[in-house]
Amino acid sequence: SSSSSSSIGGAAGVGLMGSTQQAYGQQPTTPQLLQQVSAVYPTSTAAPPTCGLISEGVNYPGNDISQVRNISSPDLCCQVCATVPACVAWTWGRQRGASFTDTCYLKSGRPKAALTVVEDEKFVSGQPTQVGKSISASKPWPGLSLFCFSLMLPWGYEQGLLRLQYDRGSGIFACNEYAIYSNQKLEPAPGVQTYVVDSSLKCEKGGEFMTALNTPIFMKLWAQIVSDGRFRFHDWTVKADPDSVFFPNRLRSMLPRHKPDKLGVYLNNCRHGLHGPLEVFSTKAVITWASGAQKCTEHFNKLCSGPCAWGEDLFIDQCLWKVLKVKRDDEPFVLLEDHCDPPPGWDDCTNTSFAAYHPFKSVESYTKCLDGAIGVPAGIVSGHSSDSSSSNQALVSIAK
């Protein structure tokens, strides 16, 4: 998204004005820039000299279609957006000395039908209403803002599942802010770039339950998430596996009954302990985890006489609960999955009490579950999920 220091959520930057070293030098005039923009994008209209809606100290995360670097002002960013047919909103990096400085992030109307207004002094955002283009932009209800991420393997089926979620406006793409991590720079959906985690993403299986021994991978992932810092702008952080059929609005309906204490709170999603397909942490819980992960590593290495043969979900559960003393709330309706004693026929996904279903590892099975969960009859070609299209029910509209 437009919000990271190592840009995520946008296509590769369009270097219309040369290298970043020129960012503080002499800039072309607006007509010259727009002439260059028109050489890259087909223009729909000539941008007028004044911009429409401009909001200082606001970021619109997500929905990126491109990044245009070395744009010297928010008004100019707005005018660039006005020339791009698909652009209905923009965010401009105003903090000096950052990788996103003077970068104009162009936003479309997908995958989210409505953008989230995130207060962030490093950015300016707006919409080219002067040419009749706009999108609903809203603040979340207090306590219900979600930062959601997935870790994607660069091989196999996961990229296809995330592209399906993007096309349907579902899963992490129905959260207030989303991010995809992998071990290389990829574009799993239009305008969505991955953050890079320094890991092969390969691990052995073992332990009592022959689970993936992926704790070292996720330790690196969490370190990157904490470094990026985007979770701090939201109330909850959600780790969603790509093969989880996830409905953020259903999760939001559960959150008011789980109040963080001074160390935060996290949701236990299974009677057998925390399971990894959908993990939900308050912001304070993530901060507590970040500061205490090394303490947990040392504690359990001593207990197990070396690294414990655990998956990441067991490790983070035991770490937060037993060592760091973070509040652990049971929430049995977070996840319905095959490894937590589901009832017969659970995988038709028609029990709408749950926020997520797992696992669905093919596009066909994922689509069937998604459609079952939103009540689409078999044989009907479906579009956006109801979770995405109704997302404004949990938002306060402040602009359209």
Side-chain angles (χ1 to χ4, degrees), residues 224-252:
Q224 187 64 52
I225 288 168
V226 171
S227 175
D228 296 337
R230 290 310 307 168
F231 76 94
R232 296 176 183 271
F233 291 90
H234 303 276
D235 303 302
W236 297 85
T237 295
V238 180
K239 174 227 163 194
D241 284 355
D243 59 346
S244 294
V245 180
F246 169 41
F247 293 89
N249 265 357
R250 296 184 189 177
L251 176 62
R252 287 187 182 102

Side-chain angles (χ1 to χ4, degrees), residues 358-369:
H358 175 270
F360 297 90
K361 297 182 182 296
S362 70
V363 168
E364 181 182 16
S365 64
Y366 194 103
T367 300
K368 184 177 179 180
C369 176

Side-chain angles (χ1 to χ4, degrees), residues 322-376:
K322 299 294 181 63
V323 179
L324 303 181
K325 308 300 182 184
V326 174
K327 183 183 178 186
R328 182 187 196 253
D329 276 4
D330 290 335
E331 182 48 81
F333 295 108
V334 166
L335 179 65
L336 184 60
E337 69 146 352
D338 60 351
H339 288 166
C340 193
D341 307 326
W346 70 274
D347 55 354
D348 64 8
C349 306
T350 56
N351 185 338
T352 58
S353 300
F354 291 87
Y357 312 84
H358 175 270
F360 297 90
K361 297 182 182 296
S362 70
V363 168
E364 181 182 16
S365 64
Y366 194 103
T367 300
K368 184 177 179 180
C369 176
L370 181 60
D371 287 345
I374 62 177
V376 176

Side-chain angles (χ1 to χ4, degrees), residues 129-180:
T129 56
Q130 77 276 16
V131 292
K133 298 194 295 181
S134 64
I135 185 172
S136 177
S138 314
K139 283 186 177 180
W141 283 108
L144 298 180
S145 186
L146 303 180
F147 171 72
C148 303
F149 69 90
S150 292
L151 177 65
M152 183 190 80
L153 298 175
W155 59 85
Y157 58 86
E158 293 183 344
Q159 186 165 338
L161 295 180
L162 289 166
R163 175 58 193 263
L164 170 64
Q165 293 166 44
Y166 174 93
D167 289 340
R168 295 287 295 269
S170 67
I172 65 170
F173 299 105
C175 295
N176 301 94
E177 185 167 351
Y178 54 81
I180 300 175

